[in-house]
Amino acid sequence: MQTNQIFLLFCGILLLLGLVAFFLGRAKAARVRGAGISMYAQPDQYAWFTVLSTAGPALMVGAIGAFVMLLLGAEIPTFYLLSGSLVVAAVGLAVGVMQVRPEFHARQAIEHVIRLLLAGAALISIFTTFGILFSIIFEALRFFQKESLWEFITGTTWSPGASFLEAAGRAEEGSGGGQFGSIPLFAGTMMITLIAMLVAIPIGLMSSIYMSEFAPHRVRGIAKPMLEILAGIPTVVYGFFAAITVAPIIVDVAGFFGLDAAYNNAVAPGMVMGIMIIPFISSLSDDVINSVPDSLRQGALALGMTNSETIKHVVLPAALPGIISASLLAVSRALGETMIVVMAAGMRPNLTANPLEDMTTVTVSIVAALTGDQEFESSATLSAFALGLALFVVTLTLNIVSVVMIRRFREKYRINDL
Amino acid sequence: MSHSFDEISAQLKRRHRKSARLKWMSMASLGIALLFLVVFFADMLNKGLPAFQQAYVQVEVDYNEDAETMGRAALDPEIASLVSRSFERLIPGMIRDDADLLGTTETRWVLTNSQVDQYLKGHRNELSDDEKAAIDERVEDGQVDMKFNTTFFSQGDSKMAERAGIMAAAVGTIMTMLVTLAVSFPIGVMTAIYLEEFAPDNRFTQAIEININNLAAIPSILFGLLGLAVFINFFGVPRSSPLVGGLTLALMTLPVIIISTRAALRSVPDSIRQGAFAVGCSRWQVVRDHVLPLALPGIMTGSIIGLAQAMGETAPLIIVGMVAFIPDVSASFTEAATVLPAQVFTWAGEPERAFVEKTAGGILVLLAVLIFMNATAVMLRKKFERRW
Amino acid sequence: MNSQVAEREMTSMTSQRTGQPVTRNEQVGHDLSVRVRDLSLWYGEHQALHNVNIDIYQKNVTALIGPSGCGKSTFLRCLNRMNDLIRNVRIQGRVEMDGRDVNEPKMDEVALRRRVGMVFQKPNPFPKSIFENVAYAPRMHDLVSRKADQDELVERSLRDAGLWEEVKDKLHQPGTSLSGGQQQRLCIARAIAVQPDVILMDEPTSALDPISTATIEDLMDKLKKQFTIVTVTHNMQQAARVADYTAFFHLGEIIEYNDTKTMFSNPHTKKAEDYITGRFG
């Protein structure tokens, strides 16, 4: 509370100084101008420049101080830090007002600062990526210091359960530490992704073929936004739908054929995930199909091909690279999808080829490892980061491959356009 | 050598039949996708609409001395098992607050418990036959009735289904979205302006561009890992708070806003920029006074869509702990909170049948908000769409 | 008999509108291939063709000339109903082939296009091998059943298109790997492989270099022994070189239709003369 008050006070004073700077700067500039001396910039620009020279360095000092405290653990009392930066602000104000001279390019100075600010903002996206990469790698390394990388890659048993007993100093109660073989998790992920793709790719692709090649203009105008609604539904809602509505239907249908299905089978989340991805595939394929030059269609039609023959033999083969790359993007989507599987798939690592059984996925295991009150340092918790790293690498690779493919596809038709 | 039309047409019959198949199949695919949409909404409405109604029962409340310590004593024992325990718990406090109440009786409508509610809605319940008979009798007399469920919209979470509401989650969502918007909008727009209007075409710029596209495709759960490792463990932002949730979602929304803002800036024709440069504007003045105002509708549209996306996101928020049990509405950025989709997730995990309905009800509210936001974005785009 | 009546009608109608006598070639021995009567076409509200009447003769080259936007390409596309692909197009009048109106509801446009082939302004080979580009359509039309027949047809078509010598060693390379002029000849080979009656050419040389253009002009001269060719061209010298008949289009009307020699030496209408002598267009 104390800190909060100091902080508010600091903000107030800084704001006040900024205002003072603005009016002082403008007044001085107006005076100079009033004396008939021509200046490089407008009075307002001088005013803004003084504001910048007041607040900029002060905020910078504050921010650097805060970082030093966080990074080096140095204890700088907040009060001193903030009053220090206020002093800097006052100095900045004085320097700024002094700079209000006819020969000073206030506009260029402001322009320069703005450009720096904008570039700084652009850097944040880079920081985010590296933040993700480093935070995950760092924690994953800590995991691999405790557990073997080889076992992680090749092991077929995933039971982190026992390891947190170990971390709690009760190793003897468990069966001698957890086991971290990630193959069952990836197998489960692949199974559910496969089911999703079996639903999404045919339906999405065929829908886009209908919309781009057959549908009357009005139908297309209605159907396209309706499909987009599917993409806008939150994944948690799909998860609920998969668990409550679809899974029991799957169990009933399987029962009808005399098969035994678990309620958290892989088919329900897979199917629902596929439905979620339909608009993704259809809108990307739509783009791709539309970018196949019309001259190819006309060439085939002019030879006496029917519409469908033209599509099957000319348009689709030409669009194939684009469609494949859309599918790769969709796969990467499905691999990283979390809520549907958390809610509808199982929690039990299960290496099986039967989609009617329950099985778990990488993302489910990440969530399971990080919820609940476990020691952060335990292998069970850190395993989430190792899985996250694997997920990151796989999805990033898929994205890059598909981006390169689609770029090649576009270039091909631009060149062929003569 | 050449064939007549009739000969060719006869040959073509088979090909036409075969060709029609593709058309029908593709049409059927679209039909299946749209059918799913219909089934989905019908299912959600069917499951969720009852949540907006709740059973109430008319009871005689006898504010006697026993009730001062144990609320249940104020109720007719026959009916006490039907009334929500949340009401029983309120009675001692009511007597304490208003001493005149002691010794009086009062007839009032109170919440039933969720079992009664589920029974009246025709769902599975754990009532005994005697209890069911008692309810049926009271329904006949008009002493048990379904009323609009104000509790659902005014209360936080509760372990008692009849008492659980979305208010705390709604406030949490607003707080989280405020943080998300406050962080991602300025940074996103500034990045886009830099890349579109200022940046030289060099490797650094290209790196940022590639990076933004990759960022847009990273699974959302990994942003949760980032939030956990960086914001919570490193910077010490309080776990489960709207602040950490908002920051995490902001990083996720950033690429959406950047990409749409760039598209909006690019759609402003160069002639406008050249015209402004020609009258002596500096680059920043051109952007501020001429380009940004024209691009604003596009920027708004993209931001609303990005925000709607963030609003439906759950996975990264689970990782940063925003699935807490929050019974009371709290408007603080640093205290534990939950958001609508996380509330939906929590309720979906409750075993009690009455929570299925709450979950679906929460989903309906969430969907309504998202559809409203997206519709607004579409309208904005339609209204300000300009062809140069 | 009927056709003579129709021809008289046509002549009188055209002359009424233009106020100029319209002379046509009266040469005998040329059989009618396509007969067009009162053809009008609208893109939405805009009328692009006004009562076009023309007779196109078999095994001749007919050139359509005129300033850009005059409707000559639109007219060409009426002959194989490629305009069906554009939305909001309305067509009135008759385009007769074998005494059948190609726009009648019973007419199968696929069958029509099988008999009326087309070569486009920009070469548009399919993204398949050279061999497949040629063999694809005949195979779909059941023109060849055995592998040997297919090979023979591909060779013959490529020879007729004057491309065989250049590509016989690389039949399985993609069609898009050829040069622009070669691609265009591949498209011609593709069109003649289905053995149509009429080949429509929509400015077939406008995207090509002069040498490729000359090759294709020679080719047209050879192909007219087998096929009826209708070509749109911007280039009047080309029309003069390759065409037996020339029609001059202006603002969606045929101003003059004549044998090429007359058209270029002694045009009957003032507008055609102005255009041919380069005073407008």
Side-chain angles (χ1 to χ4, degrees):
Chain A
M1 209 54 217
Q2 184 71 28
T3 332
N4 271 355
Q5 280 166 356
I6 294 175
F7 189 69
L8 276 180
L9 196 68
F10 168 75
C11 289
I13 295 176
L14 194 62
L15 200 70
L16 203 71
L17 279 176
L19 276 174
V20 169
F22 185 85
F23 286 110
L24 274 181
R26 193 163 73 169
K28 187 174 172 196
R31 210 166 49 239
V32 175
R33 200 185 228 191
I37 303 165
S38 67
M39 304 177 84
Y40 270 118
Q42 304 286 322
D44 272 359
Q45 287 161 349
Y46 284 108
W48 280 113
F49 172 75
T50 38
V51 172
L52 282 176
S53 77
T54 308
L59 287 176
M60 200 116 62
V61 166
I64 291 173
F67 259 96
V68 167
M69 273 175 22
L70 272 171
L71 287 171
L72 307 177
E75 279 298 318
I76 311 172
T78 317
F79 178 74
Y80 290 116
L81 177 63
L82 293 183
S83 33
S85 63
L86 281 182
V87 171
V88 173
V91 174
L93 172 63
V95 172
V97 173
M98 266 169 56
Q99 283 288 336
V100 180
R101 287 181 316 234
E103 69 275 14
F104 177 69
H105 288 262
R107 190 170 91 166
Q108 281 174 13
I110 293 177
E111 196 88 353
H112 204 72
V113 172
I114 285 173
R115 182 187 270 268
L116 278 178
L117 273 177
L118 294 176
L123 275 177
I124 292 197
S125 74
I126 296 227
F127 286 151
T128 306
T129 315
F130 283 101
I132 290 181
L133 196 60
F134 286 132
S135 61
I136 294 175
I137 288 182
F138 182 70
E139 306 290 355
L141 280 180
R142 281 170 56 187
F143 171 78
F144 289 122
Q145 277 165 6
K146 294 171 183 242
E147 309 292 337
S148 122
L149 173 65
W150 184 247
E151 194 208 320
F152 181 77
I153 296 173
T154 59
T156 54
T157 314
W158 182 269
S159 67
S163 75
F164 72 87
L165 293 176
E166 183 185 27
R170 295 191 290 160
E172 67 279 9
E173 290 171 35
S175 55
Q179 283 179 291
F180 295 94
S182 64
I183 285 185
L185 307 185
F186 281 96
T189 305
M190 290 300 165
M191 172 64 82
I192 290 177
T193 302
L194 180 73
I195 296 169
M197 291 303 120
L198 286 179
V199 172
I201 293 178
I203 295 187
L205 182 57
M206 292 295 261
S207 302
S208 74
I209 289 175
Y210 180 72
M211 284 192 293
S212 58
E213 303 283 338
F214 293 113
H217 200 68
R218 262 203 14 239
V219 174
R220 182 185 160 88
I222 297 169
K224 220 174 142 75
M226 282 193 41
L227 271 189
E228 299 295 325
I229 294 181
L230 280 180
I233 295 174
T235 53
V236 66
V237 178
Y238 278 114
F240 176 71
F241 183 74
I244 298 290
T245 308
V246 180
I249 295 176
I250 303 285
V251 172
D252 287 349
V253 171
F256 180 77
F257 291 105
L259 295 167
D260 207 19
Y263 270 95
N264 39 16
N265 57 62
V267 178
M271 265 177 63
V272 172
M273 199 190 286
I275 288 162
M276 180 188 84
I277 292 174
I278 288 174
F280 189 73
I281 298 248
S282 77
S283 75
L284 282 177
S285 321
D286 201 41
D287 282 356
V288 170
I289 289 176
N290 281 327
S291 64
V292 171
D294 230 18
S295 64
L296 284 184
R297 279 186 195 84
Q298 296 195 3
L301 290 173
L303 286 172
M305 295 299 131
T306 66
N307 251 335
S308 303
E309 286 162 354
T310 305
I311 295 165
K312 263 191 277 186
H313 302 144
V314 177
V315 177
L316 286 186
L320 196 63
I323 292 170
I324 291 176
S325 83
S327 308
L328 287 182
L329 276 183
V331 169
S332 113
R333 265 271 164 110
L335 292 177
E337 173 47 46
T338 310
M339 292 319 293
I340 296 179
V341 282
V342 165
M343 294 170 82
M347 295 285 282
R348 182 170 65 104
N350 184 5
L351 194 56
T352 172
N354 179 0
L356 293 176
E357 280 185 39
D358 61 321
M359 55 185 78
T360 197
T361 72
V362 174
T363 48
V364 171
S365 308
I366 294 177
V367 170
L370 292 176
T371 46
D373 299 314
Q374 289 172 16
E375 185 64 30
F376 190 80
E377 303 299 320
S378 73
S379 300
T381 309
L382 289 177
S383 69
F385 289 91
L387 292 172
L389 182 62
L391 191 61
F392 183 82
V393 170
V394 172
T395 51
L396 197 67
T397 313
L398 282 173
N399 287 328
I400 290 173
V401 169
S402 87
V403 165
V404 169
M405 274 183 80
I406 207 149
R407 189 171 299 161
R408 289 230 181 108
F409 165 77
R410 293 248 154 83
E411 272 162 12
K412 181 170 161 196
Y413 284 106
R414 214 170 294 140
I415 289 165
N416 196 38
D417 228 23
L418 276 179
Chain B
M1 176 180 107
S2 93
H3 305 267
S4 77
F5 285 129
D6 291 331
E7 284 167 351
I8 298 174
S9 297
Q11 270 182 359
L12 272 171
K13 273 213 181 93
R14 188 180 50 85
R15 277 169 62 197
H16 276 309
R17 261 203 313 276
K18 227 175 125 187
S19 293
R21 234 182 289 157
L22 180 70
K23 183 173 176 179
W24 289 113
M25 272 169 66
S26 67
M27 206 168 167
S29 294
L30 182 63
I32 290 173
L34 295 182
L35 180 73
F36 170 80
L37 192 68
V38 173
V39 168
F40 170 81
F41 272 99
D43 186 49
M44 284 304 140
L45 286 172
N46 181 33
K47 288 206 169 75
L49 280 183
F52 301 143
Q53 296 266 310
Q54 192 73 26
Y56 284 79
V57 60
Q58 200 177 30
V59 292
E60 189 91 344
V61 189
D62 177 11
Y63 297 106
N64 54 32
E65 278 167 23
D66 290 345
E68 217 171 339
T69 48
M70 196 182 71
R72 203 180 175 85
L75 299 172
D76 179 1
E78 190 199 346
I79 212 166
S81 64
L82 306 180
V83 172
S84 167
R85 297 244 303 282
S86 64
F87 177 68
E88 293 171 12
R89 284 182 194 168
L90 285 176
I91 295 174
M94 283 158 67
I95 299 174
R96 228 173 297 131
D97 289 349
D98 185 0
D100 293 346
L101 225 50
L102 196 65
T104 61
T105 57
E106 188 187 8
T107 306
R108 56 185 291 178
W109 286 93
V110 299
L111 268 175
T112 66
N113 64 32
S114 62
Q115 297 297 341
V116 176
D117 181 58
Q118 290 300 298
Y119 170 64
L120 288 173
K121 285 169 183 164
H123 295 311
R124 186 162 49 77
N125 57 76
E126 288 157 11
L127 295 177
S128 67
D129 288 344
D130 288 350
E131 286 169 325
K132 285 179 186 167
I135 296 165
D136 290 341
E137 200 180 296
R138 288 194 160 72
V139 173
E140 295 271 306
D141 299 345
Q143 287 176 342
V144 169
D145 204 5
M146 305 299 283
K147 296 186 175 186
F148 181 71
N149 189 358
T150 47
T151 315
F152 186 67
F153 293 100
S154 60
Q155 299 295 322
D157 198 3
S158 167
K159 289 293 169 198
M160 287 172 275
E162 69 274 16
R163 195 64 199 165
I166 55 166
M167 188 60 180
V171 172
T173 292
I174 293 172
M175 308 286 289
T176 309
M177 286 303 117
L178 281 179
V179 176
T180 301
L181 193 64
V183 174
S184 64
F185 184 76
I187 296 181
V189 172
M190 281 164 75
T191 305
I193 290 176
Y194 178 73
L195 291 177
E196 224 26 67
E197 308 283 341
F198 286 86
D201 188 21
N202 57 20
R203 276 171 176 272
F204 173 71
T205 311
Q206 281 164 12
I208 295 182
E209 268 176 48
I210 293 171
N211 193 42
I212 287 167
N213 288 333
N214 280 333
L215 210 53
I218 289 178
S220 63
I221 191 170
L222 296 182
F223 284 92
L225 292 183
L226 170 81
L228 176 62
V230 175
F231 295 137
I232 297 181
N233 285 353
F234 186 71
F235 285 111
V237 181
R239 197 175 138 90
S240 304
S241 65
L243 187 60
V244 70
L247 285 172
T248 307
L249 291 182
L251 296 183
M252 248 184 69
T253 315
L254 206 52
V256 183
I257 294 186
I258 295 174
I259 291 168
S260 60
T261 302
R262 289 189 70 184
L265 291 174
R266 214 173 298 146
S267 74
V268 176
D270 260 348
S271 58
I272 301 236
R273 291 184 187 84
Q274 283 155 7
F277 277 127
V279 296
C281 288
S282 69
R283 196 166 269 280
W284 169 243
Q285 284 169 326
V286 171
V287 172
R288 187 190 59 190
D289 299 336
H290 301 277
V291 179
L292 270 187
L294 290 172
L296 199 62
I299 298 175
M300 297 299 287
T301 307
S303 307
I304 293 175
I305 288 173
L307 209 60
Q309 223 172 15
M311 196 181 270
E313 197 56 64
T314 324
L317 297 183
I318 294 182
I319 304 293
V320 296
M322 283 195 85
V323 279
F325 174 70
I326 310 293
D328 297 310
V329 178
S330 132
S332 157
F333 285 111
T334 49
E335 279 165 35
T338 190
V339 292
L340 274 175
Q343 184 71 76
V344 166
F345 174 63
T346 324
W347 282 344
E350 296 281 348
E352 211 179 320
R353 175 63 179 79
F355 273 109
V356 169
E357 180 183 299
K358 301 286 166 200
T359 313
I363 285 173
L364 288 184
V365 173
L366 181 62
L367 286 179
V369 174
L370 292 183
I371 288 174
F372 172 75
M373 287 174 77
N374 281 303
T376 311
V378 170
M379 300 246 285
L380 255 175
R381 183 178 336 182
K382 279 239 170 80
K383 187 160 176 215
F384 291 98
E385 196 171 49
R386 214 186 296 215
R387 300 227 173 273
W388 299 97
Chain C
M1 192 61 207
N2 267 344
S3 76
Q4 277 172 4
V5 174
E7 275 158 31
R8 264 205 305 281
E9 278 172 5
M10 180 199 94
T11 313
S12 62
M13 273 189 317
T14 319
S15 53
Q16 266 169 17
R17 255 197 347 275
T18 57
Q20 299 273 352
V22 172
T23 323
R24 303 183 32 259
N25 185 287
E26 299 293 342
Q27 229 178 315
V28 282
H30 283 171
D31 295 325
L32 204 57
S33 172
V34 183
R35 178 213 301 259
V36 179
R37 287 295 173 270
D38 286 335
L39 183 70
S40 295
L41 180 143
W42 289 262
Y43 291 126
E45 292 299 301
H46 168 73
Q47 186 169 4
L49 292 178
H50 298 265
N51 295 339
V52 171
N53 291 285
I54 192 171
D55 290 342
I56 291 164
Y57 296 101
Q58 280 183 18
K59 315 228 159 137
N60 274 294
V61 176
T62 304
L64 312 178
I65 60 170
S68 32
C70 66
K72 53 195 192 300
S73 278
T74 302
F75 171 74
L76 193 74
R77 287 162 166 265
C78 285
L79 301 183
N80 67 344
R81 284 181 53 180
M82 287 303 270
N83 287 322
D84 288 14
L85 308 179
I86 306 167
R87 278 193 313 131
N88 278 333
V89 166
R90 195 159 55 84
I91 294 172
Q92 240 174 43
R94 292 175 68 80
V95 176
E96 282 172 26
M97 218 181 144
D98 278 2
R100 302 251 315 254
D101 182 4
V102 304
N103 287 313
E104 71 183 24
K106 266 178 65 191
M107 172 62 74
D108 183 344
E109 76 270 18
V110 178
L112 173 68
R113 291 179 195 141
R114 156 91 172 67
R115 292 188 60 184
V116 184
M118 188 159 187
V119 176
F120 296 83
Q121 185 170 0
K122 285 179 188 165
N124 55 351
F126 301 134
K128 301 170 185 283
S129 70
I130 294 168
F131 183 89
E132 268 302 299
N133 259 289
V134 181
Y136 167 62
R139 195 167 57 230
M140 292 305 293
H141 292 309
D142 275 335
L143 293 179
V144 284
S145 44
R146 290 180 305 125
K147 177 84 177 68
D149 289 349
Q150 184 173 312
D151 291 349
E152 194 211 307
L153 177 66
V154 168
E155 179 176 344
R156 195 170 67 230
S157 306
L158 284 170
R159 272 191 200 286
D160 288 351
L163 193 61
W164 175 252
E165 293 302 324
E166 292 160 62
V167 300
K168 65 181 176 194
D169 298 325
K170 49 176 183 178
L171 286 176
H172 295 285
Q173 285 180 18
T176 44
S177 65
L178 297 172
S179 75
Q182 288 174 323
Q183 285 190 14
Q184 193 63 302
R185 275 179 286 150
L186 178 62
C187 291
I188 291 173
R190 181 174 82 180
I192 59 185
V194 296
Q195 292 149 22
D197 297 296
V198 183
I199 300 176
L200 309 177
M201 297 191 175
D202 190 357
E203 302 191 26
T205 59
S206 69
L208 304 182
D209 59 281
I211 294 172
S212 305
T213 301
T215 319
I216 286 183
E217 284 177 10
D218 290 345
L219 193 55
M220 284 160 85
D221 210 45
K222 284 189 200 116
L223 289 176
K224 77 175 183 187
K225 293 191 185 74
Q226 294 177 57
F227 307 101
T228 308
I229 295 175
V230 185
T231 177
V232 165
T233 177
H234 252 111
N235 177 338
M236 269 172 300
Q237 285 79 11
Q238 185 173 68
R241 281 194 299 266
V242 300
D244 301 296
Y245 296 94
T246 302
F248 171 59
F249 275 73
H250 184 57
L251 297 177
E253 294 179 54
I254 292 191
I255 304 297
E256 183 167 343
Y257 178 37
N258 229 323
D259 67 289
T260 302
K261 204 179 277 170
T262 319
M263 181 68 110
F264 283 94
S265 56
N266 183 22
H268 289 59
T269 56
K270 181 80 172 59
K271 271 208 181 111
E273 189 181 345
D274 286 351
Y275 181 71
I276 286 160
T277 52
R279 257 172 245 165
F280 79 98

